[in-house]
Amino acid sequence: MTQTVPAYAAPAPGAPLERTTIERRTPGPHDVLIDIAYAGICHSDIHQARDGWAEGIFPMVPGHEIAGTVAAVGEAVTRFSVGDRVGVGCMVDSCRTCEFCLAGQEQNCANGSTGTYNAIGRDGEPTYGGYATHVVVDENFTVRIPDSLPLDVAAPLLCAGITVYSPLRHWQAGPGKKVAVVGLGGLGHMGVKIAHALGAEVTVLSQSLRKREDGLKLGADHYYATADGTVFDELAGTFDLIVSTVSAPLNFGGYLKLLRPNGALVNVGAPEEPISLNLFSLIGGGKTLAGSNIGGIPETQEMLDFCAEHGLGAEIEVIRADQINEAYERVVNSDVRYRFVIDTATI
């Protein structure tokens, strides 16, 4: 037994998204039915809807920044009740038995976690994301949104928030640490907010000074334009941690030069193109070039609680569903400050 709900989907790679209907499963014993209020637009949605990273599954309903309220629960659900404010991020399932799942690192599931969309679930059916009015998710992959966080500014935290929170915590950003955030976009602006709240000295490295005033208001202590090549000499050996949020190839040798010995450059942005690197830029100073992939369900809940404690929500522009295709073009052109959020009541 399934239920039909309205949604916006890309019918084919690169095709404009259009209104349609999809089937959602009837909630099982451990499922929650969520009435989606808001869904953030992540650059990942665009990469996948346009087959930028790999061949996708179409029709595709993107959206892994989901915020809403519980509309119904299965008979065995213990974590949530009807009316609870909840969120869903980038995963809706995993094997739950491997060492990583058991450690609360479902994103690293040895048998592969199940994406919220553009994936095949363990029932053999394709998953559809948050550009819809409702979604059915296992309670173990649902998180609670604290009452002090409005649902619209909370939605982007389910991807953008955890994507930057996880490496900042892992590499111990905090008092006495100098942290640089590369790029001030959907991910970067949350990176600045969270790093500042953790107590680090925060620098934004952006192509230009166009967003400097915003960066300083968000919590950055310093702001530099990387288009001015002298910055790489001026700031050489400065940072303990650099988090790159951009989805374009960088001059990694130049950025590694900015690290202190034993520092780390962590990538959360995922360019479609491969990169090249002279390994001497890593060997000198014992530096680390790393990647970070969202976070597990426990850490996602920790992040939401941290953001609520510090009054951190995303900077958003709420749009109607019929503006999704326009929003995609604006994201590609860096014309958003700093996250589009779909009001799903307009689907």
Side-chain angles (χ1 to χ4, degrees):
M1 190 74 176
T2 59
Q3 54 185 319
T4 302
V5 303
Y8 264 72
L17 277 74
E18 57 189 36
R19 192 178 189 275
T20 185
T21 59
I22 57 173
E23 298 299 314
R24 296 294 197 194
R25 70 178 184 268
T26 298
H30 289 280
D31 285 337
V32 293
L33 170 65
I34 300 169
D35 183 355
I36 301 173
Y38 297 98
I41 292 179
C42 177
H43 207 146
S44 300
D45 300 344
I46 301 171
H47 286 297
Q48 294 183 76
R50 297 179 176 180
D51 269 1
W53 287 336
E55 186 176 343
I57 301 168
F58 292 88
M60 183 187 298
V61 178
H64 56 206
E65 297 182 338
I66 299 169
T69 55
V70 176
V73 298
E75 66 267 20
V77 169
T78 59
R79 298 185 178 198
F80 301 101
S81 302
V82 172
D84 284 352
R85 306 165 81 253
V86 294
V88 180
C90 302
M91 304 174 289
V92 291
D93 208 351
S94 70
C95 81
R96 313 189 198 195
T97 59
C98 73
E99 61 176 306
F100 303 106
C101 288
L102 294 176
Q105 298 177 18
E106 297 89 349
Q107 80 278 19
N108 297 326
C109 175
N111 297 296
S113 61
T114 301
T116 303
Y117 70 91
N118 192 27
I120 299 296
R122 281 165 170 74
D123 59 1
E125 297 296 322
T127 58
Y128 296 120
Y131 296 8
T133 58
H134 296 80
V135 66
V136 177
V137 182
D138 187 288
E139 64 174 324
N140 293 293
F141 287 80
T142 305
V143 289
R144 188 176 303 277
I145 296 177
D147 290 342
S148 61
L149 279 176
L151 292 178
D152 53 356
V153 300
L157 301 181
L158 276 303
C159 176
I162 185 59
T163 295
V164 292
Y165 181 85
S166 188
L168 287 168
R169 291 291 284 177
H170 181 80
W171 274 275
Q172 301 178 335
K177 295 291 184 73
K178 294 185 176 182
V179 175
V181 176
V182 182
L184 192 68
L187 292 174
H189 91 284
M190 285 309 308
V192 170
K193 285 190 174 191
I194 292 171
H196 175 73
L198 287 168
E201 181 179 332
V202 185
T203 297
V204 174
L205 302 174
S206 185
Q207 285 184 303
S208 73
L209 297 177
R210 184 167 56 97
K211 300 177 183 177
R212 181 178 182 275
E213 186 176 342
D214 284 0
L216 298 179
K217 285 181 180 177
L218 292 168
D221 299 286
H222 316 284
Y223 199 109
Y224 292 91
T226 55
D228 179 357
T230 62
V231 164
F232 291 94
D233 293 321
E234 180 183 348
L235 299 179
T238 295
F239 303 108
D240 300 286
L241 172 64
I242 300 173
V243 178
S244 173
T245 70
V246 301
S247 294
L250 297 177
N251 170 13
F252 280 91
Y255 283 92
L256 287 165
K257 182 180 177 181
L258 302 180
L259 290 172
R260 290 165 49 85
N262 304 312
L265 167 56
V266 184
N267 291 273
V268 296
E272 296 178 5
E273 308 90 341
I275 68 160
S276 61
L277 179 68
N278 184 327
L279 287 177
F280 281 104
S281 59
L282 282 177
I283 294 169
K287 298 170 183 177
T288 298
L289 177 62
S292 182
N293 177 27
I294 57 172
I297 299 301
E299 190 174 45
T300 301
Q301 186 65 63
E302 177 187 309
M303 175 275 304
L304 286 169
D305 295 340
F306 177 88
C307 287
E309 178 185 351
H310 293 274
L312 306 181
E315 302 296 314
I316 63 170
E317 180 178 334
V318 177
I319 63 168
R320 302 185 311 273
D322 62 9
Q323 296 175 290
I324 291 172
N325 293 306
E326 174 190 346
Y328 272 27
E329 295 308 317
R330 287 181 57 190
V331 170
V332 171
N333 293 322
S334 299
D335 180 24
V336 55
R337 297 192 180 182
Y338 282 89
R339 202 62 149 189
F340 286 118
V341 172
I342 303 162
D343 177 355
T344 58
T346 64
I347 293 178

